Amino acid sequence: MSVLGSSSDVLFLMLGAVMVFAMHAGFAFLEVGTVRKKNQVNAFVKILTDWSVSTVVYFLVGFPIAYGINFLKPVKDLLGNTQGYDITHFFFLLCFAACIPAIISGGIAERAKFWPQVFAGAIFAGLTYPFFESMIWGQNTSLLQDLFKKIGGAEFHDYAGSVVVHSIGGWLALPAVLILGPRMGRYVSKKSHPIPISNIPFLALGSWILAVGWFGFNVMSAGHLEKISGIVAVNSLMAMVGGVLAALVASKNDPGFVHNGALAGLIAVCAGSDIMHPLAALATGAIASLIFVFGFHIEQEKLRIDDVLGVWPLHGVIGSWGGIAAGIFGNEALGGLGGVTFVSQCLGTVAAVAFALLNGFIVYGVLSKTVGIRLTPEDEFAGADLSIHQIGAYPEDHIR
């Protein structure tokens, strides 16, 4: 029975890992559908390269930092008495870590150099993210969680990463976007010139892939088959639907906002998906979607920040909302399971924002001053596909 239990847990995590791994195809298609044709190849290659580099650095450095477990040992020891649970757990949590560079990729699209961003992604997946992960979920929880409990009356609760993954990723992206500056032609003579997205079907495909994979992201965060919760699945569904419906109304049926509204809801519900009532999850997703619709406009038109996919409002701000929402709707007075406090949720959320901004400005500031992080005007005009990869998304168009 012990072997059967261990095997079930390994299978459970492996299936979850595969579902979250598939989400990276969603990240890719979401970006490809948003950027112009001349930058589509670059989007695909960036996401796959970042995934591959993240795998190596998280295996060697990141997971040991987060959980104190390393895999530089014989296979017999890797299997142990649990059918290799720890190494399967690494695979599952790698999919979370690799989301960080994938999130950032959407914000810096169309004008960032390739290799400096790969290097930055390696730092974030191998060092920055695992260190914060260790303080919330891993081996160093006493560094922050004890403080949150002392001040706020409970530990910071983030069941599936609204803050640990999405908020960190979005707030890391903001310094990169600011240091890079807007794309050529985006803002001219103090006037905004929006750049149309290239492919609605690709954007929609990316959203659908992400949405389906998200049920692995949230439900399998239980870690063990015996801890699986049906409420997590239903809350994820309700938050997604709330995001879609709110975006449908607020954006006046704009397809880009509708499909990103689904993601907004899913991002926001991650933190409290295990403790909210389904109707609270619906409200959480709807509010998140409104934050994105109006936040994207403020970011692009008022603040003049050229964040191509809107990853700062979508992941950064909405991820932060998700952490706070868990402290509101998770309370028993609102039908939640309890065990959380508004104060602790705010403290954890603010700590993540400060940590991400500090790391983002340091990494991208150093890279900008040394090797540079932006394409030359000539390369940007030609497009990242031809200037970096020497081939376009539609090679037959270049045949003479």
Side-chain angles (χ1 to χ4, degrees):
M1 291 300 296
S2 176
V3 172
L4 180 60
S6 297
S7 300
S8 298
D9 285 342
V10 168
L11 178 61
F12 178 70
L13 270 187
M14 189 275 291
L15 292 174
V18 171
M19 291 179 72
V20 186
F21 176 34
M23 290 174 67
H24 289 264
F27 281 120
F29 275 100
L30 195 71
E31 183 173 336
V32 168
T34 304
V35 300
R36 289 166 288 186
K37 288 183 179 180
K38 62 182 180 180
N39 297 297
Q40 291 180 333
V41 170
N42 181 245
F44 278 128
V45 177
K46 272 193 305 178
I47 299 295
L48 185 58
T49 301
D50 284 337
W51 165 265
S52 302
V53 171
S54 295
T55 299
V56 176
V57 297
Y58 193 69
F59 181 88
L60 294 174
V61 182
F63 194 81
I65 288 175
Y67 299 97
I69 300 171
N70 75 78
F71 303 116
L72 302 181
K73 57 185 71 172
V75 172
K76 181 179 180 180
D77 294 333
L78 295 181
L79 287 172
N81 298 319
T82 59
Q83 310 300 108
Y85 178 86
D86 285 341
I87 202 163
T88 309
H89 197 206
F90 148 77
F91 182 16
F92 180 70
L93 292 175
L94 158 68
C95 299
F96 285 50
C99 286
I100 303 298
I103 289 169
I104 297 170
S105 176
I108 64 174
E110 301 204 290
R111 77 274 202 202
K113 287 184 177 179
F114 185 81
W115 287 111
Q117 174 52 27
V118 171
F119 181 73
I123 292 175
F124 296 144
L127 296 172
T128 301
Y129 169 79
F131 182 67
F132 192 80
E133 180 185 17
S134 76
M135 294 188 289
I136 304 300
W137 293 335
Q139 65 171 336
N140 297 316
T141 54
S142 60
L143 295 178
L144 278 182
Q145 292 287 27
D146 288 353
L147 179 63
F148 296 150
K149 189 172 183 178
K150 182 178 180 180
I151 297 175
E155 292 186 347
F156 175 69
H157 185 86
D158 190 3
Y159 183 72
S162 286
V163 174
V164 176
V165 179
H166 296 283
S167 183
I168 289 286
W171 287 96
L172 279 172
L174 181 59
V177 173
L178 293 175
I179 293 171
L180 272 171
R183 291 167 289 175
M184 295 170 58
R186 180 63 182 88
Y187 303 105
V188 180
S189 300
K190 297 183 179 181
K191 292 184 179 180
S192 174
H193 298 272
I195 298 173
I197 60 180
S198 63
N199 194 309
I200 292 292
F202 275 0
L203 184 154
L205 176 62
S207 175
W208 274 105
I209 294 173
L210 283 164
V212 172
W214 225 291
F215 288 87
F217 197 98
N218 285 0
V219 176
M220 271 68 166
S221 286
H224 298 272
L225 186 61
E226 65 183 20
K227 294 181 180 180
I228 193 169
S229 168
I231 199 69
V232 174
V234 174
N235 280 346
S236 301
L237 174 65
M238 296 296 278
M240 172 192 165
V241 170
V244 170
L245 296 177
L248 187 69
V249 175
S251 71
K252 298 179 181 179
N253 215 340
D254 181 286
F257 281 119
V258 169
H259 285 91
N260 275 289
L263 306 183
L266 287 162
I267 289 167
V269 81
C270 288
S273 57
D274 62 325
I275 57 175
M276 291 182 182
H277 188 278
L279 291 179
L282 183 73
T284 298
I287 294 170
S289 190
L290 295 177
I291 291 172
F292 180 67
V293 172
F294 296 108
F296 185 81
H297 177 77
I298 293 171
E299 178 193 40
Q300 300 284 325
E301 304 303 327
K302 303 297 183 182
L303 301 178
R304 295 183 181 275
I305 298 174
D306 187 20
D307 174 0
V308 181
L309 269 68
V311 299
W312 175 44
L314 182 61
H315 294 273
V317 179
I318 291 172
S320 298
W321 157 242
I324 295 169
I328 299 172
F329 295 115
N331 283 292
E332 291 185 51
L334 293 176
L337 198 59
V340 293
T341 67
F342 180 74
V343 173
S344 292
Q345 292 305 115
C346 288
L347 289 173
T349 300
V350 170
V353 172
F355 179 80
L357 283 176
L358 177 64
N359 278 268
F361 276 114
I362 290 174
V363 171
Y364 286 111
V366 171
L367 287 174
S368 178
K369 297 296 184 182
T370 53
V371 298
I373 59 175
R374 179 154 185 162
L375 294 173
T376 65
E378 294 78 13
D379 285 344
E380 184 180 343
F381 181 79
D385 292 358
L386 294 179
S387 61
I388 296 176
H389 308 286
Q390 289 78 53
I391 191 170
Y394 306 92
E396 69 275 12
D397 290 348
H398 305 287
I399 297 175
R400 296 291 185 266

